[in-house]
Amino acid sequence: MWMSNSLLVFLGLFSAGLVAADANPDFMSVRDTVAKEYRNQEVETAEKYFHESSFHYHYDGRFATEVLPEEETIPHLSALIRTYLSTMKDIGVETWIMHGTLLSWWWNQKIFPWDNDIDVQISEPSMHFLDEYYNMTEHHFDIPGVEGGRTFQLEINPNYVIRSTKDKLNVIDARWIDTSSGLFIDITAVRKDDEKREHGQPGALMCKDGHRFDELDIFPLRNSHFEDFPVKVPYEYTKLLQEEYGSTAITATSFKGHEFNEETLLWDGPKLVHPFY
Ligand SMILES: *[C@@H]1O[C@H](CO)[C@@H](O)[C@H](O)[C@H]1NC(C)=O
């Protein structure tokens, strides 16, 4: 298998037993206990934690000085999502794809050829778990065709404990960063929406970026594949995609100058690049 010789570089204290005990926290039951540990309950905003590079908003300037050549972007994104999914599976954290990544999955279970980012979500208890045991851990992977492999860093925004959407500079709760290129995946926590729950919506969920869901839209997660790797997708994926992007996004075979080829199930590149596009 693609990841079979992956080498996870952890500090010695991350023993398997320790991890297993806390893995897979149940979404419904855990938050009540975790909530007591929240620091800064009264704080609603904070300074921006993640700093994107000055040259591109999807790169981390600590690891790169320029964007990847265009033909390298998709292979790097593919390695990012596969190594991320593999790592989350290994450490027992449930994660799923959302937004534009879910839309590209809907078409052919692959990243759109014009994409430059990936969106994944985890539950709020899982974010606490990653904070406690995995912040700033580095994970090395052998990647076919990549000399020396690549190292990825998991970094948790300390402001994830602020649960308010008013904290607009910290809507991204964590990142999975390719330290070879600076390219990263945004990880957002899906949280219980306490206010809506008090007003008669018992399954209300929210993210700090303002997206709102119902538990029944996301759970139970469905198993699928993305970039030839096992992935989980929200239960009501069609409904979620229609709500976010409109019905044409899941039916129109012409998109961003590309045409969906029903035979190869691939997006054929633009035949003509319009100067104003
Ligand atoms: C993760 O580690 C970084 C670097 O030490 C630190 O700045 C950040 O606050 C940490 N995140 C959490 C959630 O503690």
Side-chain angles (χ1 to χ4, degrees):
M1 234 183 91
W2 189 72
M3 287 300 172
S4 61
N5 54 355
S6 72
L7 170 69
L8 297 177
V9 181
F10 292 135
L11 305 175
L13 73 159
F14 298 121
S15 79
L18 175 65
V19 171
D22 283 277
N24 265 328
D26 171 56
F27 195 92
M28 292 309 294
S29 64
V30 179
R31 230 278 281 168
D32 295 336
T33 50
V34 170
K36 295 188 192 106
E37 298 165 16
Y38 279 18
R39 298 156 266 171
N40 302 327
Q41 282 275 28
E42 69 288 351
V43 174
E44 290 210 304
T45 62
E47 274 178 38
K48 186 169 169 60
Y49 178 74
F50 284 125
H51 293 280
E52 294 77 27
S53 76
S54 51
F55 60 87
H56 194 284
Y57 63 106
H58 278 131
Y59 288 80
D60 184 325
R62 293 171 299 177
F63 301 107
T65 52
E66 55 188 12
V67 298
L68 288 164
E70 206 181 317
E71 70 278 8
E72 300 230 347
T73 305
I74 299 302
H76 274 75
L77 283 176
S78 182
L80 266 167
I81 185 70
R82 297 202 228 188
T83 53
Y84 167 78
L85 292 171
S86 167
T87 303
M88 291 303 124
K89 189 167 191 297
D90 283 353
I91 66 184
V93 165
E94 192 170 66
T95 185
W96 58 95
I97 50 174
M98 199 51 117
H99 306 309
T101 308
L102 186 64
L103 183 58
S104 70
W105 164 86
W106 195 89
W107 283 95
N108 60 4
Q109 296 79 56
K110 287 187 197 329
I111 298 168
F112 283 135
W114 56 86
D115 257 348
N116 62 8
D117 75 340
I118 303 247
D119 281 299
V120 294
Q121 296 185 332
I122 65 174
S123 72
E124 192 173 38
S126 292
M127 196 58 82
H128 280 272
F129 174 73
L130 293 182
D131 168 19
E132 257 168 74
Y133 299 108
Y134 290 99
N135 185 29
M136 300 307 268
T137 50
E138 295 192 340
H139 307 255
H140 188 80
F141 282 82
D142 288 333
I143 296 173
V146 177
E147 176 92 37
R150 278 188 203 133
T151 300
F152 300 84
Q153 178 179 295
L154 183 65
E155 182 165 0
I156 318 295
N157 185 338
N159 303 312
Y160 85 95
V161 291
I162 302 174
R163 304 184 74 245
S164 171
T165 52
K166 289 183 187 150
D167 186 23
K168 290 194 190 310
L169 299 177
N170 294 293
V171 299
I172 304 304
D173 295 292
R175 273 186 180 155
W176 179 251
I177 307 160
D178 172 359
T179 63
S180 76
S181 67
L183 205 60
F184 52 75
I185 291 183
D186 284 335
I187 308 169
T188 49
V190 175
R191 305 148 182 277
K192 285 186 181 180
D193 187 335
D194 293 336
E195 211 177 296
K196 282 218 153 73
R197 283 171 189 243
E198 277 160 26
H199 292 90
Q201 290 183 45
L205 299 173
M206 51 86 67
C207 291
K208 283 173 75 174
D209 60 15
H211 285 284
R212 284 168 208 280
F213 313 99
D214 190 272
E215 263 169 27
L216 298 176
D217 291 339
I218 298 182
F219 303 103
L221 294 165
R222 297 176 189 265
N223 288 310
S224 183
H225 283 82
F226 188 64
E227 290 290 315
D228 298 319
F229 209 81
V231 75
K232 287 185 191 292
V233 299
Y235 187 73
E236 293 280 7
Y237 55 85
T238 311
K239 178 184 163 202
L240 289 170
L241 288 173
Q242 281 172 333
E243 280 172 5
E244 187 167 358
Y245 299 105
S247 298
T248 49
I250 58 171
T251 53
T253 53
S254 179
F255 211 33
K256 300 247 180 189
H258 290 66
E259 292 288 330
F260 191 68
N261 186 325
E262 307 277 359
E263 270 157 38
T264 61
L265 301 182
L266 294 173
W267 291 94
D268 291 335
K271 291 186 182 73
L272 171 109
V273 179
H274 195 278
F276 301 111
Y277 199 73

